Amino acid sequence: VMTCKAVAPAGAKLSYLWKLAGTEISDGASYKGSQTQTLRILSAGLAQAGEYSCEVTLSTQAGAATADVGPTQVNVVRKPVLH
């Protein structure tokens, strides 16, 4: 579980977009919450290893501003197989 923390002034709206290696993440078998404050990795495999960031957009009546929060590195270690 990864959480992106941002504070908005009264009347403003925050939107979130999680990315892995700069590519947007979608909810599915591996992820839940890709457009929320909290991203959950449901199935961790080698494809989920890498650098995660959270793009936060602050929207007000005056306009919008976007910032990237992160990065956070996730490493996936495979268990050794004994033969």
Side-chain angles (χ1 to χ4, degrees):
V1 174
M2 289 181 273
T3 302
C4 184
K5 295 188 180 188
V7 178
K13 177 186 171 195
L14 291 173
S15 302
Y16 299 90
L17 179 61
W18 285 91
K19 297 179 181 182
L20 171 58
T23 302
E24 294 179 13
I25 296 172
S26 298
D27 287 352
S30 297
Y31 300 102
K32 182 178 179 183
S34 61
Q35 294 184 3
T36 69
Q37 185 177 15
T38 302
L39 177 68
R40 295 181 188 280
I41 300 175
L42 304 174
S43 175
L46 294 178
Q48 286 71 44
E51 189 174 276
Y52 287 80
S53 62
C54 175
E55 183 180 281
V56 181
T57 301
L58 172 72
S59 301
T60 66
Q61 290 181 346
T66 300
D68 279 328
V69 179
T72 298
Q73 183 69 34
V74 173
N75 297 311
V76 176
V77 179
R78 297 181 77 177
K79 291 182 183 178
V81 177
L82 302 175
H83 297 277

